[in-house]
Every structure is written in C-alpha cells, then in structure tokens.
Amino acid sequence: MNPFLREKIEVMVGPIQNITVLAEQGWTSEVCQIETEAGIYLMKSSYKEKYREWLKQEANVLEKLHNQNQIPVPAYYGFIEEQDGAHLIMSFEQGVTLRVALKQAETRAEQKALIKSFGHFLQQLHETKIIQTLDRHENWLEEQLAKAEGYVKRGQTDGSVELLEKLKNSKPFPVKQTIIHGDCTIDNVLVKDGEVKLFIDVAGMTVGDPRYDESLAIRKFVNDKEDMDAFYEGYTRYRVSKEELQYFDEGLYEFF
Ligand SMILES: Nc1ncnc2c1ncn2[C@@H]1O[C@H](COP(=O)(O)OP(=O)(O)OP(=O)(O)O)[C@@H](O)[C@H]1O
Ligand SMILES: [Mg+2]
C-alpha cells in the first residue's frame, strides 16, 4: 500500500496492525480487512471511473445513515479519493453473504429458513418510514433510465440501445415509492446466526421502486416454488408479476 494512503487511513482509524485481502471479493471493487488498536475495519477500493462514482455514492449513504438505528448497514468511518482510486472505510461486520450461507446450509429446511428471513428483512426495509436525507429522486425510475442512457452512450454497460428504448416505452404502472436497497441480490446481504441481518453494498440505497429490490432478491430462485413460497412467507406486502420481474431483472438491471 502506498504510504500516503496508509497515512490517510491511519488518521481515520489509528495505526494499522494488519491488512488481509478477503477471500470473497466483489465485482467492482477490492475488499480488505484492516486491523488497528481501535477495531477491525473493512476497506472497499475501486479504480474505474464508473465504480468510483458508485463507491462515492455508497460512502454518502453510509455517512447519512451513521448513528441511526433504523436500517442495519455497516458504520461509516471515512472516504478517501486519490488520483487513481477511491477507498471507503467502514466497520468490519461478522457474517457471510446470503449466497455463501445458502451454499453452506446442510438441509433444505435451513435454506428455506434463510430465504424467508431475507424476505422478512426486505419487507422491514420497505416499510421503514422514509428518511428525508435518503430521498434524492423526483422520479426514481426516470432517473435510472437516464443513467442507463448515459452508460449506453459512454459504452459503460452491456445493456443495448434497443432494450433501453423498450424499457422507456413500457414502464410499469407506478406504485408507492419506499426506501430501497437498489441492488438487493443474495450477494449484498449478510447472514449472522442463521438470519439475514445486514445490508452491504448500499450505493443504490434511496427512495425508489420497491419492485426493483423484490425482483433482484428473487432472481436466483424464481423457478423454485419452495424457495419462492419461503420468500413470500417473509415478504408479504406485494408480489411482483412476471411482467414486472422481467422489466426490472431482465430489463433495467442489465444496465447496472
Ligand atoms: N462491512 C463489511 N464487513 C465484512 N465484510 C464485508 C463488508 N462489506 C463487504 N464485505 C465483503 O466484501 C465482499 C464485497 O463487498 P461488496 O458487495 O460491497 O462489493 P462489490 O460486490 O464489489 O460491490 P458491487 O456489487 O458494487 O460490485 C462481500 O461479498 C463481503 O464478503
Ligand atoms: Mg456486492
């Protein structure tokens, strides 16, 4: 690690005793664990422009949510922007992602209990009273489509112009906006003691369309009736239609 970065980190969390690169890495960032006398921290670093923007957004969200106790997320410690990369320091949280927990589960019953807990956890988020500082959008979907258009123009996405046009012309009927996670896959929640307890990777957390979260949450088990039933035992407030699922998961998500 370059000495300038190290110094900036130490200003935030004290002298570094140990740095370990995590076995489980993300798609758009590098994650490592940093130990100091004061505690254990997670540093998430991004280098490409698009991902640096997301990381900055994530830092923003964590900072706004610091010291609240409504939405379980890691605690914020600081954000460092350098010439060639950006680094977010947050609390290191125990637990494994839901993807890993599902793989490690020894029985179907255990898996279904995890999925039900995921549904319940997401339901709680969608029912949380809107936190004004998180509410950045006039119209969340319009802004996502505009963002997607920017990515298409700059060649920063796999989604096509044709798909984008289709999405613009077939918007689902509006529903009440809620707080959303914004990238609510099984990779972005942590399980502790057999239950989903924490959101991570929160760059997209804002006030928006809860069907986006729901669609991404179920994408991995949408063809498994038992898993779907388990999810909707926990998530009882709404059930996306096939068309909505397609719009959000196979549609909008392609651009992000
Ligand atoms: N606060 C934390 N405490 C402990 N482990 C964490 C924490 N945040 C992230 N991790 C670990 O790091 C991995 C990657 O984190 P994260 O999902 O935030 O990054 P990412 O997947 O690269 O982001 P993106 O989805 O934007 O590509 C997670 O799967 C998890 O194992
Ligand atoms: Mg992630």
Side-chain angles (χ1 to χ4, degrees), residues 26-27 44 183 185 187-188 200-201:
W27 286 102
K44 182 170 173 180
D183 188 8
T185 63
D187 293 307
N188 290 335
I200 58 169
D201 214 355

Side-chain angles (χ1 to χ4, degrees), residues 22 24-31 42 44 46 51 54 58 74-75 90-97 183 187-188 190 198 200-203:
L22 295 194
E24 203 187 337
Q25 290 287 323
W27 286 102
T28 64
S29 65
E30 286 171 26
V31 278
L42 184 287
K44 182 170 173 180
S46 292
Y51 302 145
W54 287 1
E58 181 173 358
M90 64 185 99
S91 56
F92 188 90
E93 300 287 340
Q94 296 306 319
V96 295
T97 61
D183 188 8
D187 293 307
N188 290 335
L190 291 190
L198 192 91
I200 58 169
D201 214 355
V202 296

Side-chain angles (χ1 to χ4, degrees), residues 9 13 15 19 45 50 71 111 113 118 122 139 148 154 182 191-192 194 197 228 251:
I9 297 170
V13 294
I19 301 180
S45 307
K50 178 181 176 188
I71 306 176
Q111 287 179 336
F118 185 28
L122 187 58
N139 183 322
R154 294 192 295 276
V191 171
K192 301 183 217 181
K197 294 261 174 71
M228 286 290 276

Side-chain angles (χ1 to χ4, degrees), residues 97-148:
T97 61
L98 177 56
R99 179 187 295 278
V100 170
L102 287 170
K103 221 180 280 166
Q104 288 173 347
E106 283 168 5
T107 61
R108 274 300 277 151
E110 219 177 295
Q111 287 179 336
K112 285 191 269 180
L114 284 166
I115 288 174
K116 177 179 170 182
S117 141
F118 185 28
H120 181 65
F121 189 64
L122 187 58
Q123 165 120 346
Q124 282 176 317
L125 179 72
H126 291 170
E127 291 191 337
T128 299
K129 191 166 162 278
I130 285 177
I131 299 170
Q132 285 312 325
T133 52
L134 276 184
D135 191 358
R136 294 179 285 119
H137 304 282
E138 280 285 311
N139 183 322
W140 177 84
L141 182 56
E142 291 297 341
E143 280 189 35
Q144 296 316 107
L145 291 168
K147 228 186 258 179

Side-chain angles (χ1 to χ4, degrees), residues 51-250:
Y51 302 145
R52 287 174 61 156
E53 264 168 40
W54 287 1
L55 193 65
K56 188 171 188 161
Q57 191 52 50
E58 181 173 358
N60 247 315
V61 170
L62 288 182
E63 192 175 13
K64 280 178 193 158
L65 293 179
H66 197 59
N67 289 332
Q68 54 80 44
N69 49 14
Q70 288 164 287
I71 306 176
V73 293
Y76 174 80
Y77 287 96
F79 183 62
I80 300 163
E81 280 184 292
E82 294 197 299
Q83 277 280 315
D84 58 342
H87 312 272
L88 169 60
I89 317 281
M90 64 185 99
S91 56
F92 188 90
E93 300 287 340
Q94 296 306 319
V96 295
T97 61
L98 177 56
R99 179 187 295 278
V100 170
L102 287 170
K103 221 180 280 166
Q104 288 173 347
E106 283 168 5
T107 61
R108 274 300 277 151
E110 219 177 295
Q111 287 179 336
K112 285 191 269 180
L114 284 166
I115 288 174
K116 177 179 170 182
S117 141
F118 185 28
H120 181 65
F121 189 64
L122 187 58
Q123 165 120 346
Q124 282 176 317
L125 179 72
H126 291 170
E127 291 191 337
T128 299
K129 191 166 162 278
I130 285 177
I131 299 170
Q132 285 312 325
T133 52
L134 276 184
D135 191 358
R136 294 179 285 119
H137 304 282
E138 280 285 311
N139 183 322
W140 177 84
L141 182 56
E142 291 297 341
E143 280 189 35
Q144 296 316 107
L145 291 168
K147 228 186 258 179
E149 185 152 13
Y151 292 152
V152 171
K153 281 190 180 141
R154 294 192 295 276
Q156 291 175 316
T157 173
D158 294 336
S160 67
V161 188
E162 293 75 29
L163 177 59
L164 183 60
E165 281 309 308
K166 201 173 128 190
L167 294 179
K168 284 193 202 160
N169 295 323
S170 62
K171 286 172 217 150
F173 69 90
V175 297
K176 188 176 146 244
Q177 307 282 285
T178 69
I179 296 184
I180 62 168
H181 177 281
D183 188 8
C184 193
T185 63
I186 56 175
D187 293 307
N188 290 335
V189 290
L190 291 190
V191 171
K192 301 183 217 181
D193 305 322
E195 281 179 37
V196 175
K197 294 261 174 71
L198 192 91
F199 288 111
I200 58 169
D201 214 355
V202 296
M205 192 173 276
T206 184
V207 176
D209 194 317
R211 293 172 296 186
Y212 189 52
D213 278 354
E214 197 190 329
S215 302
L216 298 197
I218 62 177
R219 70 199 301 261
K220 269 285 164 281
F221 47 80
V222 71
N223 294 318
D224 185 310
K225 183 173 182 306
E226 284 184 9
D227 285 350
M228 286 290 276
D229 287 347
F231 183 83
Y232 285 106
E233 266 176 52
Y235 191 86
T236 54
R237 59 185 297 282
Y238 189 79
R239 192 167 183 140
V240 280
S241 67
K242 243 191 212 134
E243 292 72 29
E244 289 168 329
L245 178 67
Q246 248 177 0
Y247 188 91
F248 289 109
D249 177 28
E250 290 160 36

